[in-house]
């Protein structure tokens, strides 16, 4: 590159955007790392930044990485450690070696690009020539901007970016086989077509990932999205909006804006017609729609019954099971279950470096729930020094950990959550967040900690998992009681109630026990409130519910149960 008036990185990125495709060759050198003042970020090399620029621009990227075991006579980053003189910085060499490793890992597992390996220069030349020739043939008959490889590249990049935002890490996904892998294997092979004839697979039923809270339905959905990207299948991931019309609009918007790179919005029907016209080689289902965050059974049923096949689409969503699904929709159902002992052992090995930890038997069963296993590992900070004695102890510590950077802001979030049993507005629109006194810096701190995440296309905020949402409600209710804002009677009426079939549905069914755990905190001295709370539970729950749930609180509920029994007349006590 000759002398130019613009900064080098700016010129590189502009030239990338003006190119048709990018070929990247990666061996054993990391290359120039622009400083933040030069436009760099996160210690990434100029090559890494060029690949990101190509993906952002929707340009296909062909990456060729040298085989690690192949003999190499050229310079390598690690060789510089043996050649250091007084003017060199050993730390800079180590950072370059680590940066190169991170870059290769990113290319292989996160970037969503075409990857191949090479050994000799001759074999590299042959592979590059073959890849570019195949790409040129595939794109030669397509109009500019509508080339299938570019469409795939943009779709995969957007999908992988969504998964990263949602915290999905493939290396942590230890289940040996994706629960929905069969969906990919069932997808039709592309074949030249003289017209938009529907595929024989266009009538495939929607896929339902069914399981209880915390069992990893979303994680399995993300795994499927990751595998679809690796297979270069077109897919879009959205958060369920609660209304089919809004979901269709969200899918169309993402496809037009992020994948097709169109400045105009089209309906999903128009998008399908355009794809059939411009990309006849794509057979139905030409797009897989992944919908996360579906918790209301009525909403889930409406999604399962919608004629997605008529648009050439296939639907995948996760939700708790309802018998109505089988009776009224007949989806292809995949049951998502807890970890096995082997799964949990592998997960602990990956996250903490140990095969097993000696837990009490009941806690071991809890940790087979993937959500609880994740929380346990998150709280260790790399050291297996703390063991929870029950699930409430785990959630209590997780709340403290995720709110430590912004405790006052977290208190405001808990206050919003405490109103959910009555107001039932969730996710929280930004107007409610603002009215609660939360500002950008505070919200950002809670998003960075993982407690909050954006929803509804960035127009709302929600807590990252419903189980933590329940805890937030309990935190808000007990805090309001201790400050005198509400009475014990009001607290009990909000925490112990029949769950409605509305949008929140069964999402708040852990509030009562979480609240009771916090009420029994010895330092709070809320014995009278605990007594009233137990009376409320007795009026709302049957005997089996009481016997199933109260023992989970352990020793700290025992004195309160003894006191409660002492107030019951002997005849009633015998019953």
């Amino acid at each position: 590159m000759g002398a130019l008036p613009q900064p080098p990185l700016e010129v590189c990125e502009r030239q990338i955007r003006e190119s048709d495709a990018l070929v990247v060759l990666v061996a054993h050198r990391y290359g120039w790392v622009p400083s933040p003042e030069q436009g760099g970020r996160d210690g990434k090399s100029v090559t890494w930044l060029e690949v990101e620029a190509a993906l952002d621009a929707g340009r296909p990227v062909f990456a060729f990485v040298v085989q690690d075991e192949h003999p190499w006579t050229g310079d390598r980053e690690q060789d510089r450690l043996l050649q250091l003189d007084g003017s060199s910085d050993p730390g800079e060499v180590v950072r370059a070696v680590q940066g190169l490793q991170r870059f290769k890992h990113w290319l292989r597992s996160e970037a969503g690009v075409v990857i191949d390996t090479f050994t000799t220069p001759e074999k590299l030349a042959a592979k590059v020539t073959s890849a570019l020739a195949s790409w040129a043939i595939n794109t030669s008959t397509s109009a500019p901007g509508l080339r299938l490889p570019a469409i795939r590249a943009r779709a995969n990049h957007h999908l992988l970016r969504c998964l990263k935002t949602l915290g999905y890490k493939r290396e942590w996904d230890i289940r040996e086989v994706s629960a929905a892998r069969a969906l990919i294997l069932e997808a039709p092979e592309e074949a030249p077509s003289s017209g938009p004839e529907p595929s024989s697979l266009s009538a495939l039923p929607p896929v339902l990932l069914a399981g209880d809270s915390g069992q990893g339905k979303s994680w399995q959905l993300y795994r499927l999205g990751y595998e679809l990207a690796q297979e270069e299948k077109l897919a879009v991931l959205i958060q369920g909006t609660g209304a089919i019309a809004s979901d269709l609009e969200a899918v169309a918007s993402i496809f037009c804006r992020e994948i097709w790179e169109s400045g105009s919005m089209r309906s999903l029907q128009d998008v399908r017609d355009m794809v059939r016209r411009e990309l006849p080689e794509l057979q139905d289902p030409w797009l897989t729609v992944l919908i996360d965050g579906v918790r209301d059974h009525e909403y889930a049923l409406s999604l399962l019954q919608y004629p997605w096949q008529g648009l050439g689409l296939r639907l995948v969503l996760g939700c708790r099971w309802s018998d109505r699904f089988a009776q009224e929709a007949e989806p292809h159902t995949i049951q998502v279950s807890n970890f096995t002992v082997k799964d949990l052992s592998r997960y602990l090995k990956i996250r903490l470096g140990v095969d097993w930890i000696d837990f009490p038997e009941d806690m071991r069963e809890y940790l087979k729930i993937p959500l609880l296993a994740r929380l346990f590992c998150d709280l260790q900070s790399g050291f297996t020094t703390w063991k929870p004695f029950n699930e409430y102890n785990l959630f209590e510590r997780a709340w403290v950990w995720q709110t430590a950077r912004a405790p006052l802001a977290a208190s405001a979030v808990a206050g919003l959550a405490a109103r959910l049993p009555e107001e039932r507005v969730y996710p929280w629109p930004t107007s409610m967040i603002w009215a609660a006194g939360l500002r950008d810096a505070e919200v950002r701190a809670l998003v960075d900690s993982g407690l909050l995440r954006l929803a509804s296309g960035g127009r709302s905020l929600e807590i990252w998992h419903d189980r933590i949402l329940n805890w937030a409600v309990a935190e808000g209710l007990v805090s309001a009681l201790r400050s005198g804002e509400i009475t014990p009677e009001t607290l009990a009426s909000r925490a112990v109630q029949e769950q409605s079939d509305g949008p929140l549905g069964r999402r708040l069914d852990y509030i009562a026990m979480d609240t009771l755990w916090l009420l029994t905190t010895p330092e709070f001295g809320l014995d009278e409130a605990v007594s009233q709370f137990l009376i409320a539970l007795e009026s709302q729950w049957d005997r089996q519910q009481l016997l199933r749930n109260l023992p989970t609180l352990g020793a700290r509920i025992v004195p309160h149960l003894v006191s409660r029994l002492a107030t019951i007349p002997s005849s009633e006590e015998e019953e």
Side-chain angles (χ1 to χ4, degrees):
M1 182 183 296
L4 292 170
Q6 298 91 357
L9 180 58
E10 181 181 323
V11 173
C12 290
E13 292 181 336
R14 189 193 71 231
Q15 291 179 345
I16 292 294
R17 290 191 293 271
E18 294 172 352
S19 302
D20 293 319
L22 176 67
V23 176
V24 56
L25 311 179
V26 184
H28 297 289
R29 295 297 301 271
Y30 191 42
W32 173 50
V33 179
S35 67
E37 293 75 18
Q38 295 168 320
R41 56 185 180 275
D42 302 328
K44 296 178 180 178
S45 70
V46 65
T47 306
W48 192 335
L49 295 171
E50 287 174 328
V51 174
E52 287 187 339
L55 294 173
D56 287 339
R59 303 295 181 263
V61 175
F62 302 90
F64 298 87
V65 181
V66 68
Q67 291 182 4
D68 291 335
E69 65 275 12
H70 180 69
W72 191 257
T73 57
D75 292 337
R76 300 183 302 174
E77 291 290 359
Q78 53 267 41
D79 295 338
R80 297 165 58 199
L81 290 172
L82 305 176
Q83 304 166 358
L84 289 173
D85 54 34
S87 62
S88 301
D89 177 12
E92 187 275 328
V93 177
V94 171
R95 286 191 292 273
V97 172
Q98 294 174 339
L100 181 60
Q101 293 173 341
R102 288 192 301 118
F103 179 44
K104 289 180 178 179
H105 175 76
W106 176 77
L107 281 174
R108 290 187 178 107
S109 62
E110 298 181 36
V113 303
V114 178
I115 291 282
D116 201 351
T117 59
F118 69 91
T119 52
T120 66
E122 295 76 17
K123 291 182 178 179
L124 172 63
K127 288 191 173 186
V128 172
T129 301
S130 175
L132 292 179
S134 298
W135 171 71
I137 291 172
N138 288 335
T139 60
S140 60
T141 59
S142 299
L146 307 185
R147 299 166 179 171
L148 185 54
I151 294 287
R152 283 174 169 160
R154 289 194 289 266
N156 292 348
H157 179 60
H158 178 264
L159 182 55
L160 291 172
R161 193 171 66 225
C162 287
L163 295 178
K164 183 178 180 180
T165 300
L166 291 166
Y168 179 74
K169 297 185 179 181
R170 177 62 183 86
E171 62 270 25
W172 290 0
D173 196 342
I174 49 78
R175 298 183 200 251
E176 292 183 354
V177 179
S178 166
R181 177 68 184 174
L183 174 61
I184 297 176
L185 299 178
E186 291 170 356
E189 294 292 328
E190 289 172 5
S193 172
S194 58
E197 291 298 322
S199 162
S200 60
L201 294 176
S202 61
L204 288 171
V207 175
L208 172 68
L209 304 175
D212 290 331
S213 178
Q215 289 187 315
K217 298 184 295 296
S218 290
W219 206 250
Q220 285 287 301
L221 192 71
Y222 303 160
R223 169 76 170 269
L224 175 57
Y226 178 88
E227 291 180 340
L228 285 168
Q230 295 302 304
E231 295 284 338
E232 296 189 335
K233 306 293 184 182
L234 298 184
V236 167
L237 171 64
I238 66 169
Q239 295 294 314
T241 65
I244 290 182
S246 298
D247 293 335
L248 296 175
E249 182 179 335
V251 173
S253 175
I254 290 173
F255 193 88
C256 291
R257 186 181 68 252
E258 302 288 346
I259 300 175
W260 207 264
E261 286 194 333
S262 171
S264 59
M265 270 294 299
R266 300 170 183 254
S267 69
L268 205 48
Q269 179 76 40
D270 289 341
V271 168
R272 183 208 63 174
D273 294 342
M274 179 175 62
V275 168
R276 285 184 172 177
R277 181 177 63 252
E278 302 292 348
L279 300 173
E281 63 268 40
L282 276 181
Q283 293 186 347
D284 289 347
W286 60 272
L287 181 70
T288 300
V289 177
L290 311 171
I291 303 186
D292 191 22
V294 178
R295 299 168 181 94
D296 177 60
H297 284 161
E298 200 67 41
Y299 170 46
L301 186 61
S302 65
L303 287 171
L304 294 172
Q305 292 175 331
Y306 188 80
W308 299 93
Q309 300 94 331
L311 295 171
L313 309 178
R314 189 166 193 190
L315 171 72
V316 187
L317 62 89
C319 187
R320 284 182 175 180
W321 175 253
S322 168
D323 290 340
R324 293 184 62 193
F325 297 158
Q327 298 164 0
E328 303 178 39
E330 298 185 352
H332 178 64
T333 302
I334 297 172
Q335 188 66 41
V336 180
S337 57
N338 288 339
F339 283 160
T340 63
V341 171
K342 181 181 177 181
D343 290 336
L344 179 57
S345 179
R346 291 180 61 211
Y347 186 73
L348 294 175
K349 181 68 173 179
I350 291 172
R351 292 292 311 273
L352 303 177
V354 295
D355 292 311
W356 194 248
I357 299 171
D358 187 20
F359 296 105
E361 184 175 350
D362 57 343
M363 197 62 225
R364 191 182 311 144
E365 290 302 311
Y366 280 130
L367 289 182
K368 289 182 182 178
I369 300 173
L371 169 66
L372 301 190
R374 172 184 171 178
L375 282 178
F376 169 75
C377 292
D378 287 347
L379 292 172
Q380 302 308 313
S381 300
F383 302 97
T384 56
T385 57
W386 174 75
K387 299 178 186 178
F389 48 84
N390 62 24
E391 61 176 310
Y392 307 104
N393 181 224
L394 179 60
F395 286 118
E396 187 169 28
R397 183 149 175 162
W399 175 265
V400 171
W401 173 62
Q402 289 195 309
T403 61
R405 291 176 54 191
L408 294 179
S411 178
V413 170
L416 282 172
R419 289 150 52 185
L420 281 178
E422 291 188 333
E423 295 184 356
R424 297 186 173 268
V425 177
Y426 187 79
W428 298 300
T430 51
S431 58
M432 289 185 67
I433 297 295
W434 181 269
L438 291 165
R439 299 298 179 259
D440 289 348
E442 297 164 322
V443 171
R444 190 176 302 113
L446 293 178
V447 170
D448 290 343
S449 76
L451 179 68
L452 296 181
R453 67 183 183 189
L454 294 173
S456 308
R459 296 184 293 273
S460 304
L461 281 166
E462 64 182 4
I463 290 176
W464 71 276
H465 194 278
D466 279 354
R467 189 62 188 85
I468 309 299
L469 172 64
N470 279 257
W471 190 269
V473 175
E475 286 277 353
L477 289 173
V478 174
S479 177
L481 174 68
R482 296 179 67 204
S483 65
E485 297 176 40
I486 61 175
T487 65
E489 292 81 7
T490 300
L491 179 141
S493 68
R494 292 182 182 178
V496 185
Q497 56 179 303
E498 295 292 334
Q499 301 301 323
S500 74
D501 293 327
L504 285 178
R506 294 172 57 193
R507 297 173 70 176
L508 302 179
D509 51 2
Y510 294 96
I511 294 175
M513 294 307 297
D514 289 349
T515 301
L516 187 53
W517 171 265
L518 291 173
L519 286 175
T520 57
T521 302
E523 295 82 3
F524 291 173
L526 297 173
D527 293 357
E528 182 59 32
V530 174
S531 178
Q532 294 187 39
F533 200 88
L534 289 173
I535 294 173
L537 281 179
E538 293 167 16
S539 68
Q540 291 288 339
W541 288 5
D542 60 33
R543 180 182 177 86
Q544 290 302 316
Q545 284 178 291
L546 293 170
L547 292 176
R548 184 174 62 251
N549 287 285
L550 290 179
T552 64
L553 295 171
R556 80 194 237 176
I557 191 61
V558 172
H560 301 283
L561 292 178
V562 171
S563 297
R564 173 61 187 144
L565 287 173
T567 66
I568 300 176
S570 57
S571 59
E572 184 179 344
E573 188 176 330
E574 290 172 2
E575 293 178 5

